[in-house]
Amino acid sequence: MKKIFLLLILLSTILIVSTVKAERSNKEIIFDDLNTKNFIAKAGYLELHSIKKICSYDYCDYLIGNNVYDVLDNFTKNYLETVKNKEDRLILNVKGIKITKLVLEE
C-alpha cells in the first residue's frame, strides 16, 4: 500500500513539474494582419523588452535596436537581404513585411 502511495506521489510530482516547464517555454503570439507598417498601431501595447524575436513565416530575427523604429528598420533590412528578386524587395519595402509571429521572452 505504501509503495502504491509513493508511486502516485512521484507520478503527480513529475506531472506538475513537466506542466510548469511547458508553461515557462517561449511564448508566442500569432498574428494574421500585422506587418512592419502597422506594427505600432496593432502591437504597440507590448513592451519592446518583452519581445525576443520577430518572425515572418520561416524567417525570424532577434530584436536589434533601442526603440521600435530601429527594431523595425533592422528587421526590414535583414529580411530584404534574404529576398532575391529586386521587384519583390521594392514591393515589400513599400507595403511592409508581414509579421506572422512574435516570440516573447521567457
Side-chain angles (χ1 to χ4, degrees):
M1 183 70 165
K2 287 182 182 180
K3 289 181 182 182
I4 294 174
F5 182 71
L6 289 173
L7 183 64
L8 286 175
I9 289 176
L10 180 64
L11 289 175
S12 299
T13 305
I14 292 171
L15 181 65
I16 290 171
V17 169
S18 65
T19 304
V20 170
K21 264 189 172 179
E23 289 177 1
R24 288 190 176 184
S25 64
N26 287 336
K27 296 181 182 179
E28 299 176 349
I29 302 174
I30 308 297
F31 290 97
D32 288 333
D33 59 347
L34 185 67
N35 62 39
T36 54
K37 300 295 180 182
N38 67 4
F39 183 84
I40 295 172
K42 301 247 179 180
Y45 62 91
L46 293 170
E47 294 184 28
L48 192 59
H49 68 274
S50 68
I51 303 171
K52 184 176 184 179
K53 293 183 192 177
I54 298 177
C55 299
S56 178
Y57 302 106
D58 291 337
Y59 177 82
C60 288
D61 196 12
Y62 287 97
L63 266 66
I64 302 169
N66 298 326
N67 58 43
V68 69
Y69 301 107
D70 290 342
V71 167
L72 292 174
D73 285 342
N74 288 327
F75 176 75
T76 301
K77 183 184 79 169
N78 292 340
Y79 182 80
L80 291 178
E81 288 176 1
T82 65
V83 177
K84 303 292 183 214
N85 189 337
K86 185 177 181 180
E87 185 177 326
D88 290 342
R89 282 195 305 264
L90 292 172
I91 291 171
L92 287 171
N93 203 19
V94 171
K95 288 187 173 183
I97 299 167
K98 183 169 177 67
I99 296 173
T100 56
K101 176 174 62 173
L102 295 177
V103 179
L104 303 178
E105 292 285 346
E106 295 179 24

